[in-house]
Amino acid sequence: MVLKNVFRTTALGLQTWSVFSGARQASIAVPAFRQSTCSSFSNWTFTRNVNFKGDETLPNQPVRHYARPSRKKREFPSQLQDLHPSTLKHEYASVPLAQSVDDVVKKLLTLEFANHSEKLLLKEEQLIAKVQRDDNDRSSTEVKVAIMTARIRNFQEHLHKHPKDKANKRWMLMTIDSRKKKLKFLRRTRYDSFVKVCQELGITYTFPPEYYRRVTRRWLAKKAFCNKVFKAVQKQKAEQREIQKAAEAKEKELTSSK
């Protein structure tokens, strides 16, 4: 394909037209662009005697950096970091025979060869042991909050690695909402247990906002108008009550005079 490029020199007032055609490897002397140093003259002028190949870009061409610099993700602290690999799994921790078996067998029963679900189960048991009322407590509100806390932190760790996982994000938000309801109930019924649960599990309880909707100018104007109407109605009702009281007082005076 023949490429025809037309350059017109205007710096010296020459009316010279140059037509270039040929293959990519052909080396042709063409005028190159040079940016003018004058601030008022913002277009491009020409310089001579510069070799240019057909597959190369023009020299002194401004470089545009469209690509954004890559950002490193912050490492999210895992809640399973404090679990030692030599710890026995939850289902074998209470078995006496697991303590006296061979070292190779015992190593197979530890967390070193456990999957993520088994580690998470052991973490839930550790959190439950901090807040349960007694050794047999498995259904109290404190225990349910501890289980939900372990699952929420597991969801957060997963979503930090996979931020586009919408299903797990939905499950995490649902679990957070359920835990919020449990904490609200616990705060209303057993405040001492509520304080203990928040301290042991590292939960920061925040009160819900007064208004859940986004504050806009239209909403503010509507709210101000409604308050104004409410005050006017209350004023009219107060005047009507005063008139009614005055009428009742007159009636009493008439009846007492008779």
Side-chain angles (χ1 to χ4, degrees), residues 37-75:
T37 57
C38 180
S39 60
S40 62
F41 186 69
S42 60
N43 58 356
W44 297 88
T45 58
F46 294 103
T47 57
R48 293 283 181 179
N49 301 325
V50 179
N51 291 330
F52 169 70
K53 292 183 179 181
D55 58 345
E56 293 181 358
T57 57
L58 293 173
N60 298 331
Q61 189 174 5
V63 180
R64 297 178 177 89
H65 300 282
Y66 290 114
R68 294 181 179 177
S70 59
R71 297 181 180 178
K72 264 192 173 182
K73 284 187 177 180
R74 296 180 182 177
E75 292 185 2

Side-chain angles (χ1 to χ4, degrees), residues 114-128:
N115 55 25
H116 186 78
S117 300
E118 292 172 342
K119 293 179 181 179
L120 184 62
L121 180 63
L122 182 60
K123 190 64 183 179
E124 288 180 2
E125 293 297 327
Q126 290 181 356
L127 295 181
I128 289 172

Side-chain angles (χ1 to χ4, degrees), residues 20-257:
F20 306 100
S21 60
R24 287 186 175 181
Q25 302 298 329
S27 179
I28 307 170
V30 299
F33 289 109
R34 178 173 60 83
Q35 192 172 11
S36 176
T37 57
C38 180
S39 60
S40 62
F41 186 69
S42 60
N43 58 356
W44 297 88
T45 58
F46 294 103
T47 57
R48 293 283 181 179
N49 301 325
V50 179
N51 291 330
F52 169 70
K53 292 183 179 181
D55 58 345
E56 293 181 358
T57 57
L58 293 173
N60 298 331
Q61 189 174 5
V63 180
R64 297 178 177 89
H65 300 282
Y66 290 114
R68 294 181 179 177
S70 59
R71 297 181 180 178
K72 264 192 173 182
K73 284 187 177 180
R74 296 180 182 177
E75 292 185 2
F76 192 84
S78 176
Q79 63 172 346
L80 306 178
Q81 289 178 352
D82 58 342
L83 297 178
H84 200 271
S86 61
T87 307
L88 288 174
K89 298 178 184 178
H90 174 64
E91 56 266 24
Y92 300 110
S94 59
V95 179
L97 186 62
Q99 306 291 339
S100 60
V101 294
D102 189 41
D103 292 341
V104 178
V105 179
K106 189 175 182 180
K107 192 174 184 180
L108 293 173
L109 304 180
T110 58
L111 295 180
E112 188 176 353
F113 292 92
N115 55 25
H116 186 78
S117 300
E118 292 172 342
K119 293 179 181 179
L120 184 62
L121 180 63
L122 182 60
K123 190 64 183 179
E124 288 180 2
E125 293 297 327
Q126 290 181 356
L127 295 181
I128 289 172
K130 291 181 180 180
V131 298
Q132 63 183 168
R133 300 177 185 177
D134 51 64
D135 296 338
N136 298 324
D137 181 22
R138 305 295 298 180
S139 60
S140 64
T141 309
E142 295 90 333
V143 172
K144 292 178 182 177
V145 169
I147 294 173
M148 289 179 183
T149 302
R151 292 177 183 176
I152 287 168
R153 290 172 182 170
N154 182 50
F155 282 131
Q156 288 175 344
E157 182 184 353
H158 174 78
L159 288 172
H160 184 75
K161 297 178 182 177
H162 311 282
K164 293 186 178 181
D165 193 347
K166 306 299 182 184
N168 277 304
K169 184 177 181 181
R170 177 175 173 268
W171 281 107
M172 183 188 72
L173 294 176
M174 291 170 62
T175 311
I176 289 173
D177 190 52
S178 299
R179 187 183 70 173
K180 190 184 296 182
K181 292 178 181 178
K182 299 288 183 187
L183 287 172
K184 186 178 179 182
F185 170 77
L186 191 63
R187 182 176 180 271
R188 190 174 67 250
T189 55
R190 302 183 64 183
Y191 188 78
D192 296 337
S193 299
F194 166 78
V195 174
K196 180 186 175 183
V197 166
C198 291
Q199 288 178 352
E200 293 291 337
L201 302 180
I203 299 173
T204 303
Y205 184 80
T206 56
F207 292 95
E210 186 178 359
Y211 298 104
Y212 286 95
R213 58 183 296 172
R214 186 168 59 91
V215 178
T216 58
R217 291 183 181 179
R218 181 179 178 182
W219 181 77
L220 289 174
K222 185 177 180 181
K223 183 181 176 183
F225 177 73
C226 291
N227 289 336
K228 188 177 180 180
V229 171
F230 176 76
K231 289 179 181 179
V233 171
Q234 292 298 321
K235 188 177 180 181
Q236 288 179 0
K237 288 182 178 179
E239 291 175 355
Q240 290 176 1
R241 282 196 296 268
E242 291 293 334
I243 294 171
Q244 189 174 2
K245 284 181 182 179
E248 290 177 357
K250 282 184 180 181
E251 288 181 1
K252 284 183 181 179
E253 289 177 359
L254 292 174
T255 53
S256 61
S257 61

